[in-house]
Amino acid sequence: GHRSGDNPARWKGHLAGVLPAPGAVARRSHYPALPWAQVAAFMAELRTRDGIAARALEFTILTAARTGEVVGARWSEIDLKTHTWIIPAARMKSRREHRVPLSARTVEILSGLYREDGNSHVFIGARTGAALGNMAMPDVLQQMDQCDVTVHGFRSTFRDWAAEATAHPNHVVEQALAHTIGNAVEAAYRRGDLFE
């Protein structure tokens, strides 16, 4: 009751025009990641574990894919003959189709998976006709006493490994992670996917 009229501190139509968005100034926290030098030992232990969730996690790490891309993967996207996984644009964060080369181990994982009649999901869930749940892979990490690591953090692990232990150009590594190109001019001209 000390004043009347519009709220001078309202965001919409007022402060939004003069202040940066809260998300732009908020402190970002990154997904906890395993240091790349520890991945070989981690993968050796992971391969000793049974179950679809363990295989999905191994596949996720080897392809540097996002959780949603893996749990949503369909057999129609996989070509075992050409060792290629084509993730449709509708399932990608960037809304662009993404081709993923499959290593010999990822093909071995896929070839060993149980297939359920009428279920097109690659990594099937506990319920008939369902996909593996989003929490299945974090559960594997928890069972392995890796509570300070996240599934998504393995993408950062991949990025660190590529930068520190390989000579691959930055733009190739970023393409492998399916990151969008920040520069609009470069994005307009670079149309290939660097698959080869």
Side-chain angles (χ1 to χ4, degrees):
H2 294 284
R3 63 170 313 280
S4 62
D6 289 338
N7 178 358
R10 74 184 180 284
W11 181 256
K12 200 172 191 176
H14 187 60
L15 293 181
V18 295
L19 294 176
V25 294
R27 189 172 193 91
R28 284 206 166 158
S29 62
H30 299 289
Y31 292 98
L34 188 71
W36 68 264
Q38 297 175 23
V39 170
F42 173 84
M43 294 297 276
E45 183 184 344
L46 179 59
R47 286 184 183 163
T48 67
R49 298 191 168 264
D50 292 328
I52 192 81
R55 296 298 67 80
L57 179 57
E58 186 179 356
F59 182 86
T60 302
I61 294 166
L62 291 171
T63 58
R66 295 177 178 91
T67 297
E69 295 161 4
V70 173
V71 297
R74 307 286 180 136
W75 284 108
S76 59
E77 301 168 5
I78 307 284
D79 188 336
L80 293 175
K81 289 186 182 99
T82 63
H83 293 203
T84 307
W85 174 26
I86 301 175
I87 309 169
R91 291 200 320 98
M92 290 298 298
K93 182 179 178 181
S94 65
R95 296 292 177 223
R96 292 185 63 193
E97 179 182 277
H98 182 58
R99 290 193 309 160
V100 180
L102 299 175
S103 66
R105 176 60 186 156
T106 57
V107 170
E108 184 182 336
I109 291 168
L110 294 170
S111 298
L113 292 177
Y114 170 76
R115 292 194 190 195
E116 180 182 68
D117 287 339
N119 189 344
S120 63
H121 292 283
V122 174
F123 297 99
I124 61 172
R127 290 190 338 253
T128 303
L132 187 68
N134 282 342
M135 293 309 296
M137 291 186 281
D139 286 347
V140 172
L141 289 173
Q142 193 170 34
Q143 292 162 13
M144 295 175 70
D145 293 324
Q146 293 287 343
C147 299
D148 55 341
V149 175
T150 63
V151 177
H152 196 80
F154 281 101
R155 289 171 53 81
S156 178
T157 302
F158 168 81
R159 185 68 187 89
D160 290 343
W161 166 79
E164 295 175 21
T166 77
H168 297 297
N170 183 57
H171 63 280
V172 174
V173 177
E174 290 299 305
Q175 185 70 41
L177 288 165
H179 284 162
T180 55
I181 301 166
N183 181 312
V185 174
E186 184 180 349
Y189 283 93
R190 188 159 34 106
R191 298 177 189 162
D193 65 2
L194 304 171
F195 186 80
E196 294 302 322

